Amino acid sequence: MRKKTGLTALVAFIFAFLFIPLIIIVVTSFGENPSIQFPIEGFTFKWYTAIFANGTFTASFFLSLQLSLMATGLALIVGIPAAYALARYSVRGRKWIKSFFLSPTIVPGVVVGYSLFQFIVIRWQLPVFQGLLLGHFLISLPYIIRVVGGSLEQLDFSIEEVAWTLGCTKITAFIKIVLPNITSGIFASFMLAFINSFNNIPVSQFLSGPGISTLPTSLMNYIEYNYDPTVSALSVLLMIGTILLMYLIEKTLGLASVT
């Protein structure tokens, strides 16, 4: 009985530690004081309107949206065939290949960002946007391979072989048989990769340049010189967007299947 009570208290403490700061952020986003304070004085929505009045935030939001969509789209184009090959065929060193593809999720983000900075900016000297796109593509690819690969491993490939015997080419069978059966996995992987790309800070910090900055990077730069509730309001909007996307993932594939 004491063990259950202690475990319950520990779980309650962990949840409080995680959620109380988020609640404070939500509350402070409605305060009238020009600086972030808790408890708040008064109630206003002006900090939410200030987000859209700030040209840097709006421009960086659309840049992040465009960058994340493009990077995730490219990751899908490369990741789906790669996941199919790893799940369908007995490739020599398959475990090592999977580990290589998943390495960006294991290595600390700062290390990944600095490594990409050395190769993309210093050695290859790519333009800023192309460098950002390549970096976000590399950090999005592991999510595509992992989630789509999990869906493919649960697929009965005999239905694809039946399609071959009925006259379908391998490409036609892949498009008409395999892809429709892993649609939920593709959608879930897209959502996870998109969220990771949109909210990424380490890679974006290293690869951003003059006039080109993602929303998380712009937010970090804004906090350096300002401490008003606009930061809290923008954080609340980002949390709401992330929660909505995670809700869609739960309804399509289930969070337990992708974590």
Side-chain angles (χ1 to χ4, degrees), residues 155-246:
L155 178 66
D156 185 2
F157 286 105
S158 62
I159 60 175
E160 183 187 26
E161 295 172 357
V162 171
W164 295 347
T165 61
L166 295 176
C168 286
T169 62
K170 289 189 176 182
I171 295 178
T172 303
F174 177 77
I175 295 173
K176 292 186 176 181
I177 304 299
V178 177
L179 289 182
N181 281 279
I182 60 171
T183 303
S184 60
I186 294 174
F187 181 71
S189 67
F190 176 86
M191 289 296 184
L192 285 176
F194 176 82
I195 292 173
N196 179 73
S197 176
F198 190 91
N199 293 332
N200 181 271
I201 292 179
V203 172
S204 300
Q205 284 276 57
F206 279 103
L207 300 180
S208 295
I212 298 180
S213 180
T214 62
L215 183 59
T217 303
S218 297
L219 182 60
M220 293 291 292
N221 294 334
Y222 185 85
I223 294 174
E224 186 176 357
Y225 301 102
N226 302 276
Y227 196 64
D228 58 62
T230 304
V231 177
S232 297
L234 181 56
S235 300
V236 171
L237 294 181
L238 291 176
M239 283 192 291
I240 293 174
T242 302
I243 290 171
L244 290 176
L245 288 177
M246 295 305 293

Side-chain angles (χ1 to χ4, degrees), residues 140-153:
S140 300
L141 185 61
Y143 294 92
I144 305 296
I145 294 177
R146 179 178 180 181
V147 179
V148 175
S151 297
L152 285 168
E153 288 175 359

Side-chain angles (χ1 to χ4, degrees), residues 74-139:
L74 289 174
L76 282 173
I77 294 174
V78 175
I80 293 175
Y84 174 80
L86 290 173
R88 185 72 173 86
Y89 303 106
S90 299
V91 181
R92 178 178 295 181
R94 181 168 60 177
K95 291 184 178 179
W96 288 102
I97 296 174
K98 284 185 176 181
S99 299
F100 173 77
F101 277 123
L102 296 177
S103 59
T105 62
I106 300 172
V107 179
V110 174
V111 177
V112 175
Y114 179 71
S115 301
L116 292 175
F117 172 78
Q118 287 291 325
F119 281 94
I120 294 176
V121 178
I122 303 300
R123 180 165 298 183
W124 296 344
Q125 297 184 352
L126 292 178
V128 177
F129 183 80
Q130 284 83 342
L132 267 173
L133 180 60
L134 179 57
H136 280 250
F137 160 76
L138 292 175
I139 62 175

Side-chain angles (χ1 to χ4, degrees), residues 12-33:
F13 173 78
I14 294 174
F15 272 92
F17 181 79
L18 293 173
F19 285 101
I20 287 177
L22 300 180
I23 295 173
I24 292 175
I25 290 175
V26 174
V27 173
T28 56
S29 68
F30 297 103
E32 290 185 345
N33 198 292

Side-chain angles (χ1 to χ4, degrees), residues 51-74:
I51 296 173
F52 302 98
N54 189 313
T56 301
F57 284 153
T58 54
S60 60
F61 169 78
F62 287 111
L63 174 65
S64 292
L65 185 63
Q66 177 188 8
L67 183 66
S68 300
L69 288 173
M70 293 179 65
T72 308
L74 289 174

